[in-house]
Amino acid sequence: MHIISRKTLIIFYEQPDYKDAKGPLDAWFHEAKRANWETPADIKELYRSADILKNNRVVFNIGGNKYRLVVKINYPTKTVFIRFVGTHKEYDRIDAEVI
């Protein structure tokens, strides 16, 4: 998968309060980059706790569910767009289906 943009993840985990997110986000990035997701079911095979939403959005629990990562996936082009990364509290303030 082609992921746009890793820089979003790096900016997040370089913040002093979120340094512990680096390992889990890097692990997710490398797994997703090697993946060949053609359907939401392919994601659920690897990430059982992922939430599949409308508008090709997927929510991943990161770092023992401490953080949330929302992506939009274009399955035909194998492109993953990072739409949001943050804490649960921050996640609760967004609409993951439209962000």
Side-chain angles (χ1 to χ4, degrees):
M1 305 297 287
H2 180 67
I3 302 168
I4 301 173
S5 147
R6 184 177 191 188
K7 185 175 182 179
T8 303
L9 302 178
I10 294 169
I11 289 169
F12 179 75
Y13 67 61
E14 284 184 341
Q15 296 177 68
D17 291 343
Y18 307 130
K19 295 271 187 209
D20 63 330
K22 182 182 187 317
L25 286 171
D26 280 346
W28 175 88
F29 176 83
H30 292 292
E31 288 172 353
K33 190 149 184 70
R34 288 189 306 270
N36 185 28
W37 297 325
E38 295 182 0
T39 67
D42 294 337
I43 296 168
K44 289 295 275 186
E45 283 182 27
L46 184 58
Y47 296 97
R48 297 267 182 227
S49 65
D51 294 320
I52 308 299
L53 306 178
K54 295 181 205 172
N55 300 321
N56 292 323
R57 301 301 201 278
V58 181
V59 180
F60 294 94
N61 296 318
I62 303 292
N65 209 16
K66 185 173 181 180
Y67 303 105
R68 291 282 179 109
L69 173 65
V70 179
V71 302
K72 180 178 182 179
I73 301 177
N74 183 317
Y75 293 98
T77 65
K78 306 280 187 223
T79 307
V80 177
F81 300 91
I82 296 173
R83 306 299 295 156
F84 169 85
V85 61
T87 65
H88 261 276
K89 187 176 182 179
E90 294 165 336
Y91 173 81
D92 289 340
R93 293 192 300 251
I94 66 162
D95 184 346
E97 293 180 350
V98 297
I99 194 166

